[in-house]
Amino acid sequence: MKSFSPRWVAAVVALVLCLTLPQQMVHGMAEYTVEDVATHNSTANGIWVGYNGKVYDITEWVPQHPGGAEVLIALAGTIDEFTEKFNARHGPGSYQEGILKEYEIGTLVT
């Protein structure tokens, strides 16, 4: 059996990652536009929201939401609306903001 050097394996892994990951992810946290967030507005497409310059994929949290899934589904794909409702109900620095951070997937760019 032929063995490959660790350096060769690392180079192949790096190449595969560069070809398969979104370019933004190669150098760190992914970047998303308002349009990207807006396309994730249903359980079929995933439920993404924007808050304080970050993007969150809350799809897995929606069924667990104590206020009901329908509240979050109605805000899917939004930034300003989600931020307004979140701040009115929970606010910055809240326990809920900590939960939200668990679902962070990237930053919002203009």
Side-chain angles (χ1 to χ4, degrees):
M1 173 186 259
K2 182 172 172 118
S3 65
F4 297 97
S5 73
R7 180 178 270 173
W8 187 88
V9 172
V12 170
V13 169
L15 177 62
V16 169
L17 289 175
C18 286
L19 295 174
T20 58
L21 291 175
Q23 188 59 38
Q24 312 89 295
M25 293 183 69
V26 174
H27 299 292
M29 183 74 64
E31 295 178 337
Y32 299 100
T33 64
V34 172
E35 293 80 16
D36 293 329
V37 175
T39 63
H40 293 86
N41 60 0
S42 68
T43 53
N45 295 335
I47 298 175
W48 290 15
V49 294
Y51 179 72
N52 287 346
K54 303 288 185 181
V55 178
Y56 303 89
D57 179 352
I58 59 170
T59 308
E60 291 181 13
W61 171 249
V62 170
Q64 303 170 54
H65 185 245
E70 61 281 348
V71 173
L72 296 178
I73 292 170
L75 296 168
T78 69
I79 296 165
D80 293 340
E81 293 164 291
F82 178 81
T83 299
E84 180 183 322
K85 298 284 186 187
F86 186 89
N87 283 337
R89 180 73 177 158
H90 306 299
S94 64
Y95 169 77
Q96 291 83 358
E97 190 176 56
I99 293 172
L100 185 61
K101 287 182 183 198
E102 294 177 29
Y103 297 94
E104 183 179 332
I105 58 170
T107 58
L108 189 62
V109 294
T110 54

